[in-house]
Amino acid sequence: MRMLGDGRPWLRTVRRLLNGVAFGVVALGLALARIQVAPDVYFDARNVPIALIALFEGWPAGLVAALPVAIYRWFWLGGIGTVPGLVSVACAAAAGGLVHWWATRSGRVRTAHTFGLGALTFLTTLLGYAMLGAPGLGKFARTWPHFLVAYVGGIGVLATLFQNVVERERLHAGERRFRALLDESSEAIRIVDAASRRILETNRTDCALSGRPRPALLGRDAREFWPEDAAGRDRWEALGAEVDAAGAASAFGLPLRTAGGAVRSIDLTCRRVDRDGRRYDIVIFRDAGPREALDAARREVSDLRAITLIANATAHEINNPLTVIVGSLELLQRRLDAEGQETRWIDRAIDASQRIRDIIARMTHITRVEASGAFPGVPAMLDIHRSSEDNTGRH
């Protein structure tokens, strides 16, 4: 019934009721399979499952479990022991509910709770026999060792076994939740044994970035995914040394070798954790591609702004003296012979000045950063033509 889970209140209620019905059927079977221990004296352990289910699911489930036995006693068996029998099973359910409340305050069912419930159940059985008067107490005197073993010992042992099963199921449920949360993370998570560097756990995002399924990652040495070049391996070694010294470290643009030998860039954070005498590295990383693209875009915007400011200032400072130079050349051209050598020199100077004007015009319309081809010994330069051609319409 644990499959119904504890996530929703109505599911918990349904689970408890169904568990109560199931244990009620067991209690009814025990009541029908009673054992004769003396003439006209019978023994059965019907209160054991009632008390147990009330211990683990609360008094409502205990009352549901007591219902089949009560119906059998009232409508089928009858006799002077009907009312005491009903009181006995109801008190067993109440005792289980009381110990359930006690165990809830303690955080879990412990040995004291289980054997305490066994003792209370034994007393509820004594109460039922006592309600029959002297004949009932006489019968109880001949059967009490059986009840003592069945209730105190039986409930104590069975409750301990049930608690182990419940805790194991809770542990498995916690592992499943941990596995689900791990796989839903948008970032790759890898848990590595710090001593052996073996991968102990991973998630779906790690498998996607590494290009390998989970079984192919678990148990592998994390160093197998380092790049082959010395520079990349040195960066990983430096990261490990920082984790050893400080307990945590981060790195950006770290190379990771994926399936097929391809290398991709990742941003990584690693934290060292000590647990039960062992050290673990919790490694969280993501693809650095989007971050690097964003950084490149930001650098280009910054570069473009700086270039634009310089270009506009340069254009302003050059245009003023250039206007004076071109005007002076044109005045000088009018005074010279149209066919003379000096006029041709002035024409070339005016043409060169016009080219300068065109360059300045392009400088004031730069919209992106395009570098010219690099040559040995020559630093990269801005290609003004390619950086502004979309706005000027010139090719």
Side-chain angles (χ1 to χ4, degrees), residues 158-354:
L158 288 176
T160 301
L161 293 176
F162 285 175
Q163 177 62 20
N164 291 337
V165 172
V166 169
E167 289 187 351
R168 189 177 298 112
E169 173 58 27
R170 287 175 178 170
L171 177 61
H172 291 163
E175 290 176 351
R176 290 192 295 270
R177 285 193 296 270
F178 170 75
R179 176 79 257 161
L181 291 173
L182 205 64
D183 280 336
E184 289 301 320
S185 174
S186 61
E187 298 188 343
I189 300 175
R190 182 179 292 182
I191 302 175
V192 180
D193 182 78
S196 64
R197 302 286 184 92
R198 298 288 177 183
I199 299 174
L200 304 178
E201 191 55 271
T202 184
N203 69 343
R204 189 180 296 123
T205 307
D206 184 4
C207 296
L209 287 178
S210 303
R212 292 177 173 85
R214 184 169 176 265
L217 291 174
L218 297 181
R220 298 276 294 275
D221 192 319
R223 290 170 291 193
E224 296 179 23
F225 305 101
W226 292 4
E228 295 181 353
D229 64 283
R233 300 184 73 86
D234 288 345
R235 291 194 62 192
W236 280 97
E237 291 287 359
L239 178 73
E242 185 177 353
V243 173
D244 291 337
S250 298
F252 297 93
L254 203 62
L256 176 72
R257 188 152 54 93
T258 62
V263 176
R264 74 188 313 161
S265 180
I266 61 170
D267 295 336
L268 178 146
T269 299
C270 180
R271 185 173 184 84
R272 178 71 51 80
V273 176
D274 292 328
R275 182 72 176 177
D276 297 331
R278 295 182 63 183
R279 297 183 305 163
Y280 303 92
D281 288 339
I282 312 300
V283 183
I284 302 175
F285 58 97
R286 69 194 68 84
D287 184 9
R291 193 263 309 161
E292 290 175 345
L294 181 60
D295 288 346
R298 287 173 175 168
R299 285 194 300 270
E300 183 173 354
V301 170
S302 178
D303 292 346
L304 181 60
R305 183 174 182 276
I307 290 171
T308 302
L309 290 174
I310 295 173
N312 288 337
T314 303
H316 175 74
E317 294 298 328
I318 293 176
N319 264 331
N320 290 334
L322 183 62
T323 301
V324 175
I325 292 172
V326 172
S328 299
L329 289 173
E330 289 177 348
L331 290 174
L332 183 60
Q333 187 181 39
R334 294 174 187 173
R335 294 175 176 269
L336 297 175
D337 184 7
E339 301 298 331
Q341 180 65 35
E342 294 83 357
T343 302
R344 288 193 291 271
W345 290 342
I346 291 176
D347 290 339
R348 290 182 203 158
I350 293 175
D351 291 341
S353 301
Q354 187 57 46

